[in-house]
Amino acid sequence: GPIEPRPYQGAAIDALFDWWPARPGQDPLVVLPTAAGKTVVFALLLRRLLGDYPPLRALILAHRQELLDQAEKKLLRVWPEAPTGIYCAALGRRQIRQVTIASRDSVAHLSPEELGHFDIVIVDEAHRVGEDLESRYQVIFGNVRAVNPQATIVGFTATPYRTDSGPIYGEGKPFAGVAYEQTIRAMIREGYLAEVRSVRVNNQIDTKGLRTVAGDFSPKQLGERAVRGDLLDAQLKEWL
């Protein structure tokens, strides 16, 4: 049967429909934790947009090919008659359809004419969008807007910031602001995610003399120390 959207999935879509007339020309961000069902939101959002405006053309951008395959399968489960195609050189597919699911790297070198007309660009894992105009995402956005200056870009992410440059929204950032945010805590409270339990294993990693990288211990060196036999044995015992 048809997938019933979870309340927050419907709320995220409503928030976008509120955002667009209130803040025209500003690109919104939707913050949803991992496992919140982003693809379901994409499918329901696009189905609703196409219902309002049948000629609408949408580009869904992801950077990993397994996300593309997954997105298409899920999209078709939620919306079996979705007019989808995949554009990804690594998967050997180069389809540009009304709803095109594309790998960032495969479409970044297409000209605006080759890419064609899109009304909405959905960016999965939007925290990867760089601020510099040379970044591959910005090149694609520029190409889409060269053909259709009215196009809107919507970013989806679980983490709306980059460790090197802070939030990805606000003045001079890739996105104007957060249209909707669902927190992990709320999802746990509503029963969509399991309660987090942490078990402390009573032993110490020796951090003496570890190099630090960007204010944190070197992951490589820390990893080497963390796999000492007695540490692993203690962890396994605790788990069992």
Side-chain angles (χ1 to χ4, degrees):
I3 292 185
E4 273 304 301
R6 295 170 174 181
Y8 66 82
Q9 292 171 335
I13 293 167
D14 289 341
L16 287 171
F17 276 83
D18 291 343
W19 172 286
W20 286 317
R23 301 183 63 172
Q26 297 188 34
D27 298 326
L29 204 53
V30 174
V31 179
L32 291 174
T34 307
K38 272 184 313 200
T39 316
V40 173
V41 178
F42 299 169
L44 297 170
L45 171 66
L46 292 174
R47 197 169 69 184
R48 183 165 152 191
L49 282 166
L50 256 74
D52 291 350
Y53 180 64
L56 180 111
R57 296 178 64 82
L59 179 63
I60 299 174
L61 288 180
H63 73 283
R64 293 206 306 267
Q65 67 188 60
E66 62 272 24
L67 289 174
L68 302 175
D69 235 11
Q70 213 179 309
E72 185 185 45
K73 285 193 181 78
K74 263 210 188 128
L75 214 83
L76 291 168
R77 226 180 53 225
V78 180
W79 178 21
E81 62 288 354
T84 62
I86 284 187
Y87 197 102
C88 174
L91 293 174
R93 291 175 66 182
R94 289 190 173 78
Q95 306 157 328
I96 293 184
R97 302 257 165 89
Q98 192 171 3
V99 174
T100 300
I101 304 164
S103 93
R104 172 197 65 190
D105 297 347
S106 290
V107 292
H109 53 254
L110 295 182
S111 69
E113 296 70 40
E114 290 169 315
L115 189 58
H117 181 105
F118 286 101
D119 302 286
I120 180 170
V121 181
I122 290 175
V123 185
D124 195 9
E125 304 205 349
H127 50 275
R128 295 181 158 271
V129 175
E131 285 162 40
D132 51 9
L133 288 170
E134 285 75 64
S135 93
R136 281 164 293 189
Y137 283 108
Q138 299 289 4
V139 167
I140 297 166
F141 300 162
N143 288 345
V144 167
R145 287 192 160 138
V147 176
N148 176 15
Q150 257 47 72
T152 183
I153 292 155
V154 184
F156 282 78
T157 181
T159 49
Y161 43 81
R162 290 171 67 108
T163 42
D164 55 356
S165 56
I168 56 167
Y169 57 90
E171 196 61 48
K173 302 284 182 176
F175 297 92
V178 175
Y180 182 81
E181 177 165 14
Q182 170 73 335
T183 63
I184 290 179
R185 189 167 285 152
M187 284 188 65
I188 292 172
R189 201 175 52 236
E190 291 159 20
Y192 295 114
L193 290 178
E195 195 57 78
V196 178
R197 296 209 344 263
S198 62
V199 176
R200 179 153 184 194
V201 179
N202 198 8
N203 52 25
Q204 290 297 315
I205 294 177
D206 175 23
T207 56
K208 265 202 301 295
L210 277 181
R211 275 191 315 122
T212 56
V213 179
D216 221 330
F217 289 127
S218 149
K220 188 168 175 297
Q221 284 193 337
L222 192 60
E224 284 161 5
R225 296 211 186 166
V227 294
R228 261 189 16 229
D230 53 330
L231 284 178
L232 290 182
D233 290 342
Q235 287 167 10
L236 279 171
K237 229 166 65 209
E238 200 66 66
W239 271 101
L240 290 169

